[in-house]
Amino acid sequence: MSGRHALPGALLAAFALAAVGELVSVALDARTGQLLAKPMLMPLLAAYVAARGGPRLLVAALLLGWGGDVFLLSSADGAFLAGMGCFAAGHVCYLVLFGRRRTRADLAVGYGLVLVVTLALLWPDLPAELRVPVAVYSLLLAAMAYRASGLGPLAGAGGALFLLSDTLIATGVAEWPQPPAADLWIMLTYLAAQVLLVAGVLRARTAPKARTRPESRTAPVHD
């Protein structure tokens, strides 16, 4: 492996090891393993993006996700809101990064319906102090998931999985019955979401350089 690709490859391998450690720790309910593995995840993925020369906004979104991960490890008062705030800021970074690429109108309708129905069902069971923050966050999340589809199927799937992961968290906050191994599914879908968003952004960023046909209309991803 050449020096140019050695660092990104090593960082991606380190991220994969940390991800396996985190998922195993969640599956075994090993708190110490989660405290060790989870804070490593997004910094390693962000370092991989930086080593690949990826957009600064993508690095920022991942590091804000790291902040959210760390806050959600805590049971302190206000930690949940602080974590949600970090993730919300990360979604703003994603939205700016995605720009105004062409997206499908039916997806907008679909995500809009999912947002309205989910909030309507959750609203009575959410703690009163979380209702408005969750609604605002959910709007940003749904918008991010929808706009991600403009980069192609990888980013689109990442946005959808992010929405699924956070919806599972919200149902837990509302104290709805949870599926078996809910925490594992939350973490698995979250990690898959971030990886697919990274892959989709990096592919969209490099795709125009590989095309020489004048009819290509793919716009570059913003820094």
Side-chain angles (χ1 to χ4, degrees):
M1 182 180 293
S2 67
R4 178 183 176 185
H5 300 291
L7 180 57
L11 290 167
L12 193 59
F15 167 78
L17 286 174
V20 170
E22 168 65 8
L23 292 172
V24 170
S25 297
V26 171
L28 299 177
D29 197 21
R31 180 68 175 172
T32 300
Q34 294 176 56
L35 290 172
L36 291 173
K38 194 173 185 180
M40 298 172 59
L41 293 167
M42 292 305 109
L44 285 170
L45 193 55
Y48 165 75
V49 170
R52 286 281 308 272
R56 291 185 294 271
L57 278 170
L58 179 56
V59 173
L62 293 170
L63 292 179
L64 286 164
W66 167 75
D69 289 342
V70 171
F71 277 119
L72 292 183
L73 281 171
S74 173
S75 58
D77 292 343
F80 182 81
L81 277 174
M84 188 164 55
C86 285
F87 281 117
H91 294 323
V92 172
C93 289
Y94 275 128
L95 283 168
V96 176
L97 178 63
F98 297 156
R100 297 183 178 180
R101 286 168 172 259
R102 183 179 302 172
T103 48
R104 290 168 45 186
D106 58 338
L107 279 179
V109 174
Y111 276 118
L113 286 174
V114 168
L115 174 65
V116 170
V117 171
T118 302
L119 282 176
L121 292 173
L122 286 171
W123 192 267
D125 298 322
L126 289 171
E129 69 276 10
L130 290 181
R131 287 173 179 168
V132 172
V134 166
V136 173
Y137 176 80
S138 299
L139 178 61
L140 281 173
L141 174 59
M144 183 281 292
Y146 165 60
R147 296 304 305 174
S149 65
L151 273 74
L154 287 178
L161 286 174
F162 215 134
L163 182 63
L164 174 61
S165 180
D166 282 3
T167 300
L168 286 172
I169 293 176
T171 61
V173 173
E175 298 184 352
W176 285 13
Q178 295 294 288
D183 288 343
L184 181 60
W185 284 111
I186 288 169
M187 200 65 211
L188 184 61
T189 51
Y190 167 66
L191 289 175
Q194 294 282 38
V195 169
L196 287 169
L197 285 168
V198 165
V201 169
L202 293 179
R203 175 172 291 187
R205 183 179 174 84
T206 58
K209 299 177 182 178
R211 298 175 183 173
T212 58
R213 293 183 299 174
E215 63 270 21
S216 176
R217 298 181 181 178
T218 303
V221 174
H222 300 293
D223 283 336

